[in-house]
Amino acid sequence: MEKREIVIIGAGPAGMAAAVRLNELGYRDVLVLEKENSAGGVLRQCIHSGFGLTKFGKNYTGPEYRHIYEEMLLNTDVGLMTGATVMEAVSVDTYNCSCSPEERINDSVLNVVVRAQTASGAESFAASAVIIASGCRERGRGALGIAGTRPAGVFTAGTAQGMMNLRNVKVGNRVVIIGSGDIGLIMARRFTLEGSRVICVVEKENVCGGLERNRRECLVDFGIPLLLNTVVCRINGRKRVTSVVIRNEDGAEKEVECDTVIISAGLEPEDSFAEKNTKGMFYCGNALYVHDLVDDVSECGENTAMDVAGFLLAQMKKKDFDSAFSSENIEEMRKKRRDYVAKIRIEKNNTKDEGRYIVCTQCPNGCRIDTQNFTGGKCEKGAVFARDEVENPKRILTSSVRISGSERTVSVRTEEAIPLSQIMQSMKVINTMHVAVPVHTGDVICENFNNLGTRLIATGSEMSMNP
Amino acid sequence: MLIKDVIIIGAGAVGCALAKVFSEYRMNVCVIEKEADVAFGTSGRNSGVVHAGFNNKPGSFKAKFCVEGSRGFENLAEELGIEYKKTGKLVTGFSDDDRKKLEELKKRGEINGVEGLEIIDGNRIKDICGSVKGNFALWSPQTAVFDPFEYTIALAETAAANGTGFVFNERVIEIKVTDSGRFKVMTENNSFESDILINCAGLGSAEICKMLGVNRYDINPCRGEYHILAKPGKNNDIGEPKIPVYPVPDEKKGVLGVHLTPTVGGNLMAGPGAEFIEDKDDYANEEDMMKLLSEGMVRLIPDLQNVPVIRSFSGIRPKLTDSKNEIIEDFVIEKSEEYEGFYYLVGIESPGITASMPIAKYLFDRIEKDFGESFEKKKNCKSRKDMFSRREYKGLRKMVCRCEGVTEERILRAFDDIVLLGAEPTIKGIKNRTRAFMGSCQGCFCTIDTTELLGRERNVSPDRLTYSGKGSEMFEGILK
């Protein structure tokens, strides 16, 4: 049993931010456990842009945002153990009940025991404080109760995203997406860019579930229909999906041929391994509750780190410390969040893009700009954005480029936004390109990409052909 | 001394039990299966209960073999090295009518030789399983749960370790009898010959019979749908019931009714429904039935309304009717009058798995008697561990499936065992052997890692990976 002052479970955006902040606060005995082989969490597969607008005032892709935090993390004394999957995090009392008298922990400073599995076997850690930064998981088909058969070709959006962006695998040709949450929208665009046909996105509510920015840039840009008040009520196909049946609010049903069904029907905190109401256990990021923006997740990680510091100081003085992020208060935090999300949904329902108005997507403020006189923005960006949207919409193109001599890819972006009208043609160019390893985040892959006057740069990094 | 060539059609529980029994003798045994792996049909789609034997008509094959199977299962499980939990079972009732039916069941069970049956009152129900509703119940202490995948796989592996050959993805399309009286079994791509032919084709058994002129049986597929509930965990403390809980059976339909069964893996299952369907391959779930199951399980235990369903599936009972479309209540285990050496088992539905080993032993003895001479037993019989799961996988203990705690090592072992058996490696086969993909994430996380692992360690490219065999390709191929 290894003893640590603080153990952080998960090296995604929440865990990395918490670790960096704890290091800034002077904590030197911090260990981060990460189940994947590198830090970054879900950011590694989120190769699209839209990250860092509030935190850094820049529009980064997921891998770039990850890179910034990874660099910060590597410049600290924080220990990072990769390939370590946490199977259980329990209070010392619970642990003591289940082990032999010799193994018991009698150190009053230690509160939590974490058991992890690594490539070489099981490892256990006892810590004064543990931060659960394990992110969230997707709700799958079972939770939706969709009737029909169980063929291959039904994936959650995150799984499809991982297969495409991390493994260079083509998931399907004709795609129906269930749920208009952000990942569903992002995947609608991603499938379209990579040559698959997205037939429709169905949403059971009467309003798009994802951010307005994503609705516009992922669906409207590509003419993908969003069917509101509609559900997929049946999946057909003996071996691979052959069709789905969709049903609208009037009960009218229609069969839609497809070979792939993508489910983006909500996320849930992934904390099934953590014992409830455990002293010294704290939550942050999407493991606390699901956030819309990674910037907020990082912020949450930092705030939790502050509370952990407060807790450790109080424990030293043998005092109590009340934290909103503590295991004991988690349900209250989640309830508050649920109420907030419900409120936002109602507000959103009342402020739809009604043709005349465009919701500015340059930052999360979401100002409604009147396209007749370009007013309504809280800052000058709004008018510029709306004018461009009307006259010549531009987008940052994100995709991946094949690594020479390997079946793997590295994620890329255009440095500047390019005309929307050039996007599909630019994809053809990207798909013929190769890049040699090693390639680092920020490396220029092409100076004048597709003669559009912008550079194509790597957002991820790959050191060798087959790691 | 006789050495015979034996062909068994169907690698379900009964086919694999027969293969195991025959493999202990000096015979050449081959099992032919249309699917990519064992237990892909009815044997892998049921409640996973070792029935005690009180539901079946006294004197029937079902009653006899079920009680024998139940008594011998614990030892068999130990021999095969598989999980077995003697949980006991409750059949709960509310009305006077229910009580009468339960008394009848008890009496029937006692005639069949089931031990320990009791009618108990509400207080005893509470003692046994606090959350169950019921004014009284039939308590069967002999009932147990097991993993039907693990069981069928273990039988097949034991048979293979003793020399049985398995061929998969071979659907039988025609059977001829040669001039010398041998059977020539034709599949789409191959043909196989034998002296003895045993039809254990489950849902396809009537079709196989017809290939050799036995026309009097028809399979009436009767679908049973299930819900699988999330495991009780650190965030879901409804860990009840820990034993199977059944309502009073529906005599008219000849089925046991929507019940709750804890699996050995720790999930709770609700089901099955019962619905006659046209197509014996239609493993769908229907909206109405899914709703009915959700209501049925909450009726048995109200707290279950808060437990999420993680997957729904269905199995199909091969219910048997004769040429006049009358239901045949019992298993049919017969030999052909026309062709010596052709044996057929049709209508093997519940309690088919419980009964599978006694059925196999009974049939073996009968065949031996028919041939009028003893088959020679092998001196040393091997266990499945002599052939399967023997490789070491150093440094591959990284977790692939956190929900079920499955490491890279276990995925690779399953893959290698599938190859050793002669089956086709599929996600479903790996799932059935490891429980990866069966957890509450239902593959959200482990799909990516498993694909990567099989590519890295076994050179399986993503476009070759299937869910359950040809046609069920998981992916289209390389993106760019």
Side-chain angles (χ1 to χ4, degrees), chain B residues 408-425:
Chain B
E408 292 189 333
E409 178 181 23
R410 282 183 53 207
I411 302 268
L412 292 175
R413 183 177 296 144
F415 182 96
D416 293 343
D417 283 350
I418 293 170
V419 173
L420 267 179
L421 186 64
E424 179 189 345

Side-chain angles (χ1 to χ4, degrees), chain A residues 406-426:
Chain A
S406 159
E407 284 192 350
R408 301 173 62 250
T409 55
V410 65
S411 54
V412 297
R413 63 175 288 175
T414 56
E415 196 165 32
E416 307 293 334
I418 62 172
L420 177 59
S421 56
Q422 296 293 312
I423 291 273
M424 290 315 284
Q425 198 270 332
S426 297

Side-chain angles (χ1 to χ4, degrees), chain A residues 35 37 85-88 90 117-121 136-138 142-143 145-150 152 155-156 159 162-164 167-170 172-173 194 234 238-240 247 270-276 399-400 402 407 409 431, chain B residues 35 45 234-235 237 279 281-287 290 309-314 395-399 401-403 405 407 440-441 443-445 447-449 451-452 462 467-480:
Chain A
K35 74 179 165 75
N37 291 326
T85 306
V86 170
M87 303 306 292
E88 192 177 47
V90 297
Q117 179 76 21
T118 68
S120 52
C136 52
R137 67 164 63 196
E138 300 177 277
I146 305 170
T149 51
R150 292 161 305 285
F155 301 95
T156 56
T159 305
M163 290 310 301
M164 287 171 84
R167 302 282 160 230
N168 191 28
V169 166
K170 180 160 189 175
N173 286 313
E194 296 298 350
R234 191 181 181 85
R238 293 279 159 88
K239 289 285 189 177
R240 174 97 191 187
R247 182 190 292 150
E270 164 65 330
D271 64 346
S272 53
F273 56 88
E275 187 178 14
K276 279 195 255 184
S399 182
S400 58
R402 181 85 177 256
E407 284 192 350
T409 55
N431 287 342
Chain B
E35 299 293 333
R45 299 162 179 275
K234 296 203 161 59
N235 292 312
D237 38 22
D279 183 346
D281 297 316
D282 187 8
Y283 292 110
N285 288 81
E286 300 297 334
E287 261 181 304
M290 290 168 84
V309 173
I310 57 170
R311 186 177 176 85
S312 304
F313 74 100
S314 66
L396 288 165
R397 298 225 182 108
K398 193 176 163 227
M399 205 51 75
C401 164
R402 173 155 65 193
C403 304
T407 57
S440 49
C441 93
C444 291
F445 293 125
T447 301
I448 301 175
D449 287 354
T451 310
E452 189 271 336
Y467 179 68
S468 58
K470 196 167 182 292
S472 65
E473 282 70 24
M474 293 285 287
F475 311 107
E476 290 294 321
I478 297 298
L479 187 63
K480 58 180 74 174

